[in-house]
Amino acid sequence: MSANAPVAIIMGSRSDWPVLKKAAEMLDELGVAYDAKVVSAHRTPERMYAFAKGAKAAGYKVIIAGAGGAAHLPGMTASLTDLPVLGVPIESKALKGMDSLLSIVQMPAGIPVGTLAIGEAGAKNAGILAARILAVTDAALADRVAAFSAAQTASVAETVEDA
Amino acid sequence: MSANAPVAIIMGSRSDWPVLKKAAEMLDELGVAYDAKVVSAHRTPERMYAFAKGAKAAGYKVIIAGAGGAAHLPGMTASLTDLPVLGVPIESKALKGMDSLLSIVQMPAGIPVGTLAIGEAGAKNAGILAARILAVTDAALADRVAAFSAAQTASVAETVEDA
Amino acid sequence: MSANAPVAIIMGSRSDWPVLKKAAEMLDELGVAYDAKVVSAHRTPERMYAFAKGAKAAGYKVIIAGAGGAAHLPGMTASLTDLPVLGVPIESKALKGMDSLLSIVQMPAGIPVGTLAIGEAGAKNAGILAARILAVTDAALADRVAAFSAAQTASVAETVEDA
Amino acid sequence: MSANAPVAIIMGSRSDWPVLKKAAEMLDELGVAYDAKVVSAHRTPERMYAFAKGAKAAGYKVIIAGAGGAAHLPGMTASLTDLPVLGVPIESKALKGMDSLLSIVQMPAGIPVGTLAIGEAGAKNAGILAARILAVTDAALADRVAAFSAAQTASVAETVEDA
Amino acid sequence: MSANAPVAIIMGSRSDWPVLKKAAEMLDELGVAYDAKVVSAHRTPERMYAFAKGAKAAGYKVIIAGAGGAAHLPGMTASLTDLPVLGVPIESKALKGMDSLLSIVQMPAGIPVGTLAIGEAGAKNAGILAARILAVTDAALADRVAAFSAAQTASVAETVEDA
Amino acid sequence: MSANAPVAIIMGSRSDWPVLKKAAEMLDELGVAYDAKVVSAHRTPERMYAFAKGAKAAGYKVIIAGAGGAAHLPGMTASLTDLPVLGVPIESKALKGMDSLLSIVQMPAGIPVGTLAIGEAGAKNAGILAARILAVTDAALADRVAAFSAAQTASVAETVEDA
Amino acid sequence: MSANAPVAIIMGSRSDWPVLKKAAEMLDELGVAYDAKVVSAHRTPERMYAFAKGAKAAGYKVIIAGAGGAAHLPGMTASLTDLPVLGVPIESKALKGMDSLLSIVQMPAGIPVGTLAIGEAGAKNAGILAARILAVTDAALADRVAAFSAAQTASVAETVEDA
Amino acid sequence: MSANAPVAIIMGSRSDWPVLKKAAEMLDELGVAYDAKVVSAHRTPERMYAFAKGAKAAGYKVIIAGAGGAAHLPGMTASLTDLPVLGVPIESKALKGMDSLLSIVQMPAGIPVGTLAIGEAGAKNAGILAARILAVTDAALADRVAAFSAAQTASVAETVEDA
């Protein structure tokens, strides 16, 4: 665990890591430290309680939580901390992540989860959004975020086929 | 709170009571005692934690949990107790309970929630299913359940219009 | 057929067995005896009638019923017995089990089916829920269920990658 | 009950009659006799069993079955008789009949239900389709069906506003 | 083209034949003659008009029409003939036949299409339903249909694994 | 009928006129003549056939077709003419226009329908799109379309409440 | 416009204000200044462009964007600024906000929108999430957010009926 | 870039080209010149603004825009130009293009996008619809479009199996 990592990436199952890793890679690219760990709402509810209630004291600023199916991890975490929580719906086998998405995004008034797209695009975007949040008061990070955006724009060739 | 009520009916919001009341009425009709209380997964996570961890010791045998939208109460309760948990999806405003249903029923392997239909039919059926479960080892209750089923069958007139 | 097996696992087609087998394996693990048989609501309606009407007398306490598509087996069984019936929606080819789920869970008031998730997770959970139901009055089984839950929690490593 | 009515209209609940009545009215208009009765798959499974097994001997040629939610009546009837069965999905409260439709139409290979549209349009069309079926070998009825179609066509004014 | 075949199987594209063939095989098994042809509502609208308007005179008694996506063939055929029309939704690539199903089943009042399940099960069932319709006034066919049903029931072994 | 109206607005039922009228009003506002008439694919298939086959000769340049449920009018019209056809899905009772949308937009390769949004917004936009199409070679109309767009932009006050 | 308001609330139409107002009220309650304005992606694309490109320089730290139907405002804003953007799907007439939700949440990798629930709950939660984000480096605000959470928890009476 | 190409094909990502190429091939077949380029609403918003605002002056008559997921390119383009814009929903990974379709078709009143089917059929049809639009005032093209339609009809063999 990095000392003072501002971002925690948690996920309901180790099998979610190939997806959530995209968030981690994005944070690496933007120079933001993070910890990643498996915290299952359903199989390790006490670990989740302990993690979420202690997240602020542990120095985290933003939490990225990914889960699939009846995905309760992001919402439960958001109910146990006042930190901003970003949710990543994992694509589920039968319903292709529609269940994951609705379980994460349709939170009742009072407990927000900022939800990203289903799957890898959402995971990558969770990393970027965490960085945008931290960049609000970190000018150097803001510069790196801006550089990332500019580079992304520049990388889009206009031609439809390779020369 | 009834002494030794075998069924607990919990719900995410007092506004769910008009629906969950159908479970209570059914249990009344079948002569099964219950307690009903508001336990919000999101707004009162510690109350939920305490309730679910203590449910068995409190003498409950079956838990009926109703919630709407990103409905985490049934699944989280099931992860914090080994009692059978029955979930009732409340009809939500925009998505008509499809979000509630998927959030409750699509639990990962390891933590079951026996899910009923969206809304009042589901609430009533949760009451009946709780009674069927308790009747497994309660012959008198089994007789009342059988009488209810028989009366229900008998009440269905074959004619399509009132005489 | 085991003498006095408390759980019956029925399914609409032999092709559902690879999924329902997860329920059986779970019951094996928890030390609960069961019988498994093919009982098609549509192709063998009389076998279904006979099975369901005789289930209680045959000594069953809980019925697990799996079916796909226009899945009528769980609901029809629940209408023909007063035992608790648990429904497992099988993932269908075109609609991925959404048809199976709605056909099972949306039962009218009066006839409950405790519905689990689509596919293998649901089958496994049906096994666990059956055990939780039987454990209500079987302390030894309750201990095994608790041990299973504890072991499940303990098995969730926090690290996202193998050491 | 009309002597020798060729069509039986059955429905899961008396509350379905306002919808199924449209089938009856259509049959009246086309001069086809029918009986209408409440036969609930779930609340009166034995009545359904008896009705369906005896339908052919009772002289019925076509069965129209309407039901809502987890709508098992059309499919179960089709599994208990060799007569053609037409299914009418009733619009359900939460899911607007999508559950009814999938529960009726997604029958497995071997047991067909000819499914019509959700609600009143479907009920009316079930009446017409029953008449079209009977008209295959009833020239007088075929003439009435043809006259109905012609009148329907003639009734469609081309102008968008009343003169 | 068989002389006097009572059933016509039409489909929107030759690529639908592997699915619709299941209807044909079923009719073969039940001893019902049929013709099968490609009649595209969209690419050959005049062929469709000619076919549907002439179907009755050509001696057909029942039409089976299969199509996918924005599937207009069954409904348009039903609007151009008074014969009973059965619709088979073909599984489409992106939406898995949900578009095909809704395009076929949601017909307005006045023009019925008896709709079967998406894909091969629906095609097979269209063949059976066509036979059930013709059997209304063909006792020999009714016997073959009954024998098929009985054989189907008999073929369902109760055991879940091969001996 | 206006002499030389370049746009035809057709609809499946007179009851669709309150929605399609929005297309007409938009065309009025943009100074584009049109004819509006009821042409039902299902109840008046020959009128549709005649209309669509004759549309080009009648001087129409663009056809707007609105229909609901199993909405076949836009696609069938597009198969019977080479003119550009714009489809407006009417909001249906049970499925809220999702059936109408899929029946119109999911056309097979070879026969295009340019589909607009469900309901009044789609109708209004069909009028605007027809005008944009005609404006490709009508500079005066292009100016009116541009003026409409500019006025629309100007009409959007930035303040959220009336002063 | 407040000097130095850290939050901008933008919406696609003045008719969205009754929903977005819930975000404003929440920010009022938490003592966070904001500006609210109508910025339509479709009707005022240049206003959107100017707003989003200038948002950071204008001193905003977080943007809340609400829109319905084909809701492009949140995503386009996120593509034109590096500030964190929170999206609120407005409930649409026909599809009840499912279109709004998917249009907002399913952003491609590279451009994140933190999406909240459909409708008023989502708007209120956008206000809370904006405050949680700002509280990351504003201890006084963090205290107010914590007090809000605590008060919310305390306000949930356990009893289901008023005393 | 072809001098004076009347059609522009734009897409959100180079990975969309295999689908949009079907539009290009169709235009090739119909003898209509086009330019194809990658213009991402989200990653290159300024390129999109410049392209769309300059499209008319660049001589384009019709724009085909393809995008997937939260697909904003067609709608934003339509808001920045008065040319007719045709939208092609790309099949997305998790939701199979349902998100793309709704993001494109559900445009608010005032800004139309003529939307085609999800995926390759839609792309091909966008090419045909563009040609139909241009053919309104181009008799030679109208002849080619008519010849294409006629050839397409002629190519549909009636037999279901190869001779």
Side-chain angles (χ1 to χ4, degrees):
Chain A
M1 192 189 291
S2 341
N4 303 314
V7 177
I9 301 174
I10 59 176
M11 65 212 77
S13 163
R14 191 178 284 195
S15 64
D16 299 334
W17 178 233
V19 175
L20 268 302
K21 203 173 195 172
K22 301 293 172 183
E25 291 169 359
M26 201 64 240
L27 291 170
D28 280 336
E29 187 173 339
L30 292 169
V32 178
Y34 58 87
D35 295 321
K37 56 186 83 180
V38 177
V39 178
S40 167
H42 298 124
R43 291 177 297 145
T44 65
E46 306 204 40
R47 188 189 296 173
M48 177 181 73
Y49 266 73
F51 168 78
K53 299 209 51 97
K56 199 170 180 176
Y60 295 121
K61 309 295 189 206
V62 181
I63 298 171
I64 293 172
H72 300 176
L73 181 65
M76 285 310 302
T77 300
S79 78
L80 290 159
T81 182
D82 288 327
L83 295 176
V85 176
L86 307 182
V88 180
I90 301 293
E91 187 176 328
S92 51
K93 184 175 175 298
L95 301 184
K96 302 301 173 197
M98 183 52 92
D99 45 1
S100 323
L101 171 58
L102 296 181
S103 298
I104 293 175
V105 79
Q106 286 293 83
M107 289 292 289
I111 312 288
V113 173
T115 307
L116 290 305
I118 299 168
E120 293 191 2
K124 188 174 173 184
N125 280 345
I128 299 172
L129 185 50
R132 287 188 179 205
I133 288 170
L134 295 170
V136 164
T137 51
D138 177 341
L141 176 55
D143 286 347
R144 293 197 300 276
V145 168
F148 164 79
S149 292
Q152 179 173 252
T153 297
S155 74
V156 182
E158 199 176 67
T159 54
V160 294
E161 299 200 270
D162 295 319
Chain B
M1 196 188 289
S2 340
N4 302 314
V7 177
I9 301 174
I10 59 177
M11 65 212 78
S13 163
R14 189 178 285 196
S15 64
D16 299 334
W17 179 234
V19 175
L20 269 300
K21 202 173 195 170
K22 301 292 172 185
E25 290 169 0
M26 201 64 239
L27 291 170
D28 281 337
E29 188 173 339
L30 292 168
V32 178
Y34 58 86
D35 295 320
K37 53 186 83 179
V38 177
V39 177
S40 167
H42 298 125
R43 291 178 297 146
T44 65
E46 307 205 44
R47 186 189 296 172
M48 177 180 71
Y49 187 93
F51 168 79
K53 300 285 294 182
K56 199 170 180 176
Y60 295 121
K61 308 296 188 204
V62 181
I63 298 171
I64 294 172
H72 300 177
L73 181 64
M76 286 309 304
T77 299
S79 78
L80 290 159
T81 183
D82 288 327
L83 295 175
V85 176
L86 308 181
V88 179
I90 301 293
E91 186 176 328
S92 52
K93 184 175 174 299
L95 301 184
K96 301 301 173 198
M98 184 52 94
D99 44 2
S100 322
L101 171 58
L102 296 181
S103 298
I104 292 174
V105 80
Q106 285 294 83
M107 290 292 290
I111 312 288
V113 173
T115 307
L116 289 306
I118 299 168
E120 294 193 1
K124 188 173 172 186
N125 280 345
I128 299 172
L129 185 50
R132 287 188 179 206
I133 289 170
L134 294 170
V136 164
T137 51
D138 178 340
L141 176 54
D143 286 347
R144 294 197 298 276
V145 168
F148 165 79
S149 292
Q152 179 172 253
T153 296
S155 75
V156 181
E158 198 175 68
T159 54
V160 294
E161 301 200 272
D162 297 319
Chain C
M1 192 187 291
S2 340
N4 303 315
V7 177
I9 302 174
I10 59 176
M11 65 212 76
S13 164
R14 190 178 285 195
S15 64
D16 299 334
W17 179 234
V19 175
L20 268 301
K21 203 174 194 169
K22 301 293 172 185
E25 291 169 358
M26 201 64 240
L27 291 169
D28 281 336
E29 187 173 339
L30 292 168
V32 178
Y34 58 87
D35 295 321
K37 54 187 83 178
V38 177
V39 178
S40 168
H42 298 124
R43 291 176 299 145
T44 65
E46 306 205 42
R47 186 189 297 171
M48 177 179 73
Y49 268 73
F51 167 79
K53 298 211 51 98
K56 199 169 179 176
Y60 296 121
K61 309 296 188 203
V62 180
I63 298 172
I64 294 172
H72 300 177
L73 181 64
M76 285 311 302
T77 300
S79 78
L80 289 159
T81 182
D82 288 326
L83 294 176
V85 176
L86 308 181
V88 179
I90 301 293
E91 186 176 328
S92 52
K93 185 176 174 297
L95 302 184
K96 302 301 173 197
M98 183 53 93
D99 44 1
S100 323
L101 171 59
L102 297 181
S103 298
I104 293 174
V105 79
Q106 286 293 81
M107 290 292 288
I111 312 289
V113 173
T115 307
L116 289 305
I118 299 167
E120 293 192 1
K124 188 173 173 185
N125 280 345
I128 299 172
L129 185 51
R132 287 189 180 204
I133 288 170
L134 295 170
V136 164
T137 51
D138 178 340
L141 176 55
D143 286 347
R144 293 197 299 278
V145 168
F148 165 78
S149 292
Q152 180 173 251
T153 296
S155 75
V156 182
E158 198 176 70
T159 54
V160 294
E161 298 198 272
D162 296 318
Chain D
M1 195 188 288
S2 339
N4 303 314
V7 177
I9 302 174
I10 59 175
M11 66 211 77
S13 163
R14 190 178 286 194
S15 64
D16 298 335
W17 179 234
V19 175
L20 269 300
K21 203 173 194 170
K22 301 292 172 185
E25 290 169 359
M26 200 65 238
L27 291 170
D28 281 336
E29 188 173 340
L30 292 168
V32 178
Y34 58 86
D35 295 321
K37 54 187 82 178
V38 176
V39 178
S40 168
H42 298 124
R43 291 176 298 146
T44 66
E46 307 205 44
R47 186 189 297 171
M48 177 180 71
Y49 188 93
F51 168 78
K53 300 284 294 181
K56 199 170 181 176
Y60 295 120
K61 308 296 189 204
V62 181
I63 298 172
I64 294 172
H72 300 177
L73 181 63
M76 286 309 303
T77 300
S79 78
L80 289 159
T81 183
D82 288 326
L83 294 176
V85 176
L86 308 181
V88 179
I90 301 292
E91 185 175 328
S92 52
K93 185 175 174 297
L95 301 184
K96 302 299 174 198
M98 183 53 92
D99 44 1
S100 323
L101 170 58
L102 297 180
S103 299
I104 293 174
V105 81
Q106 286 293 82
M107 289 294 288
I111 312 289
V113 173
T115 307
L116 290 305
I118 299 168
E120 294 192 1
K124 188 174 173 186
N125 280 346
I128 300 172
L129 185 51
R132 287 188 179 206
I133 288 170
L134 294 170
V136 164
T137 51
D138 178 340
L141 177 54
D143 286 347
R144 294 197 299 276
V145 168
F148 165 78
S149 292
Q152 180 172 253
T153 297
S155 75
V156 182
E158 198 176 69
T159 54
V160 295
E161 300 200 272
D162 296 318
Chain E
M1 194 189 289
S2 340
N4 303 312
V7 177
I9 301 174
I10 59 176
M11 64 212 77
S13 163
R14 190 179 285 195
S15 64
D16 299 335
W17 180 233
V19 175
L20 269 300
K21 203 174 194 169
K22 301 292 172 186
E25 290 169 358
M26 202 63 241
L27 291 169
D28 281 336
E29 187 171 340
L30 292 168
V32 178
Y34 58 87
D35 295 321
K37 54 187 82 180
V38 177
V39 178
S40 167
H42 298 125
R43 292 176 299 146
T44 66
E46 306 204 41
R47 186 189 297 170
M48 177 180 72
Y49 267 73
F51 167 79
K53 299 213 48 102
K56 199 171 181 175
Y60 294 121
K61 308 297 190 204
V62 181
I63 298 172
I64 294 172
H72 300 175
L73 181 65
M76 286 309 303
T77 300
S79 78
L80 290 159
T81 182
D82 289 326
L83 295 175
V85 176
L86 308 180
V88 179
I90 301 293
E91 186 175 327
S92 52
K93 185 175 174 297
L95 301 184
K96 302 300 174 199
M98 183 52 93
D99 44 0
S100 322
L101 170 58
L102 296 181
S103 298
I104 292 174
V105 80
Q106 286 293 81
M107 290 292 289
I111 312 288
V113 173
T115 307
L116 289 306
I118 299 168
E120 293 192 3
K124 187 173 174 186
N125 280 345
I128 299 172
L129 185 51
R132 287 189 180 204
I133 288 171
L134 294 170
V136 164
T137 51
D138 178 340
L141 176 54
D143 286 347
R144 292 197 299 277
V145 168
F148 164 79
S149 292
Q152 179 172 252
T153 296
S155 75
V156 181
E158 198 176 68
T159 54
V160 295
E161 300 198 271
D162 294 319
Chain F
M1 195 189 290
S2 339
N4 302 315
V7 177
I9 301 174
I10 59 176
M11 65 212 77
S13 163
R14 189 178 286 195
S15 64
D16 298 334
W17 179 234
V19 175
L20 270 300
K21 203 173 194 169
K22 301 294 172 185
E25 290 169 0
M26 201 63 239
L27 291 169
D28 281 335
E29 188 173 339
L30 292 169
V32 178
Y34 59 87
D35 295 321
K37 56 186 79 178
V38 177
V39 178
S40 168
H42 298 124
R43 291 177 297 147
T44 65
E46 306 206 43
R47 187 189 297 171
M48 176 180 71
Y49 187 93
F51 167 79
K53 300 284 295 181
K56 199 170 181 177
Y60 295 121
K61 308 297 188 204
V62 180
I63 298 172
I64 293 172
H72 301 176
L73 181 63
M76 286 310 303
T77 300
S79 78
L80 290 159
T81 182
D82 289 327
L83 294 176
V85 176
L86 307 181
V88 179
I90 301 293
E91 185 175 328
S92 52
K93 185 175 175 298
L95 300 184
K96 304 299 173 197
M98 183 52 92
D99 44 1
S100 322
L101 171 58
L102 297 180
S103 297
I104 293 175
V105 79
Q106 286 294 83
M107 290 293 288
I111 313 288
V113 173
T115 307
L116 290 305
I118 299 167
E120 294 193 0
K124 188 173 173 186
N125 279 346
I128 298 172
L129 185 51
R132 287 187 180 207
I133 289 170
L134 295 170
V136 164
T137 51
D138 178 340
L141 176 54
D143 286 348
R144 293 197 299 277
V145 168
F148 165 78
S149 293
Q152 180 173 252
T153 296
S155 75
V156 181
E158 198 176 68
T159 54
V160 294
E161 300 200 271
D162 296 318
Chain G
M1 195 188 290
S2 340
N4 303 316
V7 177
I9 301 173
I10 59 177
M11 66 211 77
S13 162
R14 189 178 286 196
S15 64
D16 298 334
W17 179 235
V19 175
L20 269 300
K21 203 174 195 169
K22 301 293 171 184
E25 290 169 358
M26 201 64 240
L27 291 170
D28 281 336
E29 188 173 338
L30 292 169
V32 178
Y34 59 87
D35 295 322
K37 56 187 79 179
V38 177
V39 178
S40 167
H42 298 125
R43 291 177 298 145
T44 66
E46 306 207 44
R47 187 190 296 172
M48 176 180 71
Y49 187 93
F51 168 78
K53 300 285 294 182
K56 199 170 181 177
Y60 295 121
K61 308 297 188 203
V62 181
I63 298 172
I64 293 171
H72 300 176
L73 181 63
M76 286 310 303
T77 299
S79 79
L80 290 159
T81 182
D82 289 326
L83 294 175
V85 176
L86 307 181
V88 180
I90 301 292
E91 186 175 328
S92 52
K93 184 175 174 298
L95 301 184
K96 303 299 172 198
M98 184 52 92
D99 45 0
S100 322
L101 171 58
L102 296 181
S103 298
I104 293 174
V105 79
Q106 285 294 82
M107 290 292 289
I111 313 288
V113 173
T115 306
L116 290 306
I118 299 168
E120 294 192 1
K124 188 174 173 185
N125 279 347
I128 299 172
L129 185 50
R132 287 188 179 206
I133 288 170
L134 295 169
V136 164
T137 51
D138 178 340
L141 176 54
D143 287 347
R144 293 197 299 277
V145 168
F148 164 79
S149 293
Q152 180 173 252
T153 296
S155 75
V156 181
E158 197 175 68
T159 53
V160 294
E161 300 201 89
D162 297 319
Chain H
M1 192 188 292
S2 340
N4 303 314
V7 177
I9 301 174
I10 59 176
M11 65 212 77
S13 162
R14 189 178 285 195
S15 63
D16 299 335
W17 179 233
V19 175
L20 269 301
K21 202 174 195 170
K22 301 292 172 186
E25 290 169 359
M26 201 64 240
L27 292 169
D28 281 335
E29 187 173 341
L30 292 169
V32 178
Y34 58 87
D35 295 321
K37 55 186 82 180
V38 177
V39 178
S40 167
H42 298 125
R43 290 176 298 144
T44 66
E46 307 204 41
R47 187 189 296 172
M48 177 181 72
Y49 266 72
F51 168 79
K53 299 210 51 100
K56 199 171 181 176
Y60 295 121
K61 308 297 188 204
V62 181
I63 298 171
I64 293 172
H72 300 176
L73 181 64
M76 285 310 303
T77 300
S79 78
L80 290 158
T81 181
D82 289 326
L83 294 176
V85 176
L86 307 181
V88 179
I90 300 293
E91 187 176 326
S92 52
K93 184 174 175 298
L95 301 184
K96 302 300 174 199
M98 184 51 93
D99 45 0
S100 322
L101 170 59
L102 297 181
S103 297
I104 293 175
V105 80
Q106 286 293 83
M107 289 292 290
I111 312 289
V113 173
T115 307
L116 289 306
I118 299 168
E120 294 192 3
K124 188 174 173 185
N125 279 346
I128 299 172
L129 185 51
R132 287 189 179 205
I133 288 170
L134 294 170
V136 165
T137 51
D138 177 341
L141 176 55
D143 286 348
R144 293 196 299 276
V145 168
F148 164 79
S149 292
Q152 178 172 252
T153 296
S155 74
V156 181
E158 199 177 68
T159 54
V160 295
E161 299 200 271
D162 295 319

